């Protein structure tokens, strides 16, 4: 992992598979925006901070996916820093078993779903992030509710930089995964529109490079959502079970899941699209002889 890069007067980030944000505080400290996947990430953050003469003062988690809070446990032990997180997301950060559990329809998940990819080490959450701003170590962070990718996702603004986290994905990530993960497609679209209306100089997605042109980034994300929406809609004709819809969408988007964790994430994504299409009268679910079938309404 490379060292810290400057993107604003007080804003830096540690580039990686997941970008970790850092905001300088007046006392040679740093507020961490997310902590990466695991202990190794935590160590890399500690090393990068040390090299830059910064001491971690707090952790701000944008949402509860394991690749964003997995380094919390290590960093909390090393620096005894307080953890800030959005409500609801905090429940999962404190109880990471909830993620594989919800991906497995609430049942005890398969062991393959309980690795660090979907389940980080549990972390305390000391402060819930509510309201428009939060003051930490003499720095004011602006909180931008950007639900959709996860239920209470937050993007974090400081000075002229917006840490988008997973409200927007970089083009290479969209290309790689075919469809951006979503919990609520309607909210995700609205959140992209909300970010587009902001006036920051630099936008940093958690997966991708910092950009100045938010419109191009927003357009790429909307295009990926539209493409996925069309694929899921197309997959309902002829009527099909959930697993058949998933199979068809994988074929249309040419994004075969690499293993069980990826399969269950993708199935959850497809269900989010089915929910969105159902709300708009473009999909219906019926039980036929004990089998759930999705179809386009006639
Ligand atoms: Zn995420």
């Amino acid at each position: 992992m490379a060292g810290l890069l400057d993107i604003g007067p007080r804003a830096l980030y540690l580039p990686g598979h997941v970008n970790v944000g850092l905001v300088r505080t007046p006392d040679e400290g740093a507020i961490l925006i997310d902590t990466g996947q695991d202990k190794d990430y935590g160590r890399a953050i500690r090393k990068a901070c040390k090299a830059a003469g910064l001491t971690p003062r707090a952790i701000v988690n944008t949402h509860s996916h394991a690749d964003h809070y997995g380094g919390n446990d290590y960093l909390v032990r090393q620096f005894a820093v307080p953890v800030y997180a959005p409500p609801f997301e905090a429940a999962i950060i404190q109880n990471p078993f909830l993620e594989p559990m919800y991906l497995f329809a609430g049942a005890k998940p398969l062991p393959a779903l309980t690795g660090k990819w979907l389940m980080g080490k549990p972390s305390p959450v000391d402060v819930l992030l509510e309201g428009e701003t939060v003051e930490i170590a003499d720095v004011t962070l602006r909180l931008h509710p950007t639900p959709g990718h996860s239920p209470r996702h937050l993007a974090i603004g400081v000075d002229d930089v917006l840490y988008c986290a997973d409200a927007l994905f970089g083009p290479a990530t969209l290309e790689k995964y075919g469809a951006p993960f979503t919990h609520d497609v309607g909210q995700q679209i609205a959140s992209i529109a909300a970010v587009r209306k902001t006036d920051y100089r630099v936008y940093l997605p958690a997966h991708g490079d910092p950009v100045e042109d938010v419109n191009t980034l927003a357009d790429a994300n909307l295009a990926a959502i539209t493409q996925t929406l069309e694929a899921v809609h197309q997959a309902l004709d002829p009527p099909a079970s959930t697993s058949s819809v998933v199979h068809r969408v994988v074929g249309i988007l040419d994004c075969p899941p690499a293993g069980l964790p990826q399969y269950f994430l993708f199935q959850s994504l497809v269900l989010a699209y089915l929910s969105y299409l159902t709300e708009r009268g473009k999909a219906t679910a019926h039980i036929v002889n004990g089998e759930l079938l999705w179809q386009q309404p006639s």
Side-chain angles (χ1 to χ4, degrees), residues 76-281:
V76 167
R77 285 175 200 276
Q78 290 290 319
F79 298 103
V81 284
V83 177
Y84 295 67
F88 190 96
E89 306 287 342
I92 301 171
I93 293 168
Q94 292 167 303
N95 303 279
F97 185 70
L98 285 169
E99 180 170 352
M101 189 179 112
Y102 69 65
L103 289 172
F104 204 61
K108 180 186 178 185
L110 300 178
L113 304 186
T114 59
K116 69 179 180 185
W117 209 61
L118 294 178
M119 195 171 98
K121 280 205 172 175
S123 161
V125 173
D126 302 283
V127 183
L128 295 178
L129 292 169
E130 296 180 281
E132 293 180 4
T133 60
V134 62
E135 187 92 13
I136 304 173
D138 292 324
V139 175
T140 302
L141 301 178
R142 285 184 295 275
L143 308 176
H144 293 271
T146 36
H149 171 75
S150 69
R152 295 291 297 269
H153 185 284
L154 284 177
I156 309 290
V158 63
D159 304 323
D160 56 0
V161 172
L162 184 68
Y163 293 101
C164 303
D166 289 348
L168 290 169
F169 292 91
T173 305
L174 294 173
E175 184 69 29
K176 185 175 170 195
Y177 294 104
F181 184 78
T182 186
H183 158 75
D184 183 322
V185 180
Q187 285 189 333
Q188 193 176 29
I189 292 169
S191 290
I192 291 171
V195 172
R196 197 196 284 273
K197 278 194 202 134
T198 60
D199 188 25
Y200 288 95
R201 185 182 55 84
V202 174
Y203 294 81
L204 179 70
H207 306 279
D209 297 323
V211 300
E212 296 192 358
D213 177 8
V214 71
N215 284 314
T216 303
L217 190 63
D219 287 343
N221 279 266
L222 275 183
I225 291 169
T226 304
Q227 176 182 279
T228 309
L229 193 57
E230 285 169 3
V232 175
H233 190 243
Q234 189 186 326
L236 306 184
D237 183 23
S241 65
T242 303
S243 67
S244 294
V245 172
V246 170
H247 185 225
R248 287 177 192 170
V249 175
V250 161
I252 296 166
L253 297 178
D254 188 23
C255 56
L260 285 169
Q262 292 88 345
Y263 181 88
F264 279 92
L265 278 172
F266 195 76
Q267 176 181 259
S268 178
L269 174 152
V270 168
L271 286 168
Y273 280 87
L274 288 169
S275 180
Y276 180 80
L277 286 168
T278 302
E279 273 172 15
R280 279 150 189 81

Side-chain angles (χ1 to χ4, degrees), residues 63 65 68 149 166:
H63 65 296
H65 292 158
H68 291 255
H149 171 75
D166 289 348

Side-chain angles (χ1 to χ4, degrees), residues 278-294:
T278 302
E279 273 172 15
R280 279 150 189 81
K282 293 183 175 174
T284 54
H286 302 279
I287 310 294
V288 182
N289 296 328
E291 185 183 26
L292 185 147
L293 289 177
W294 296 95

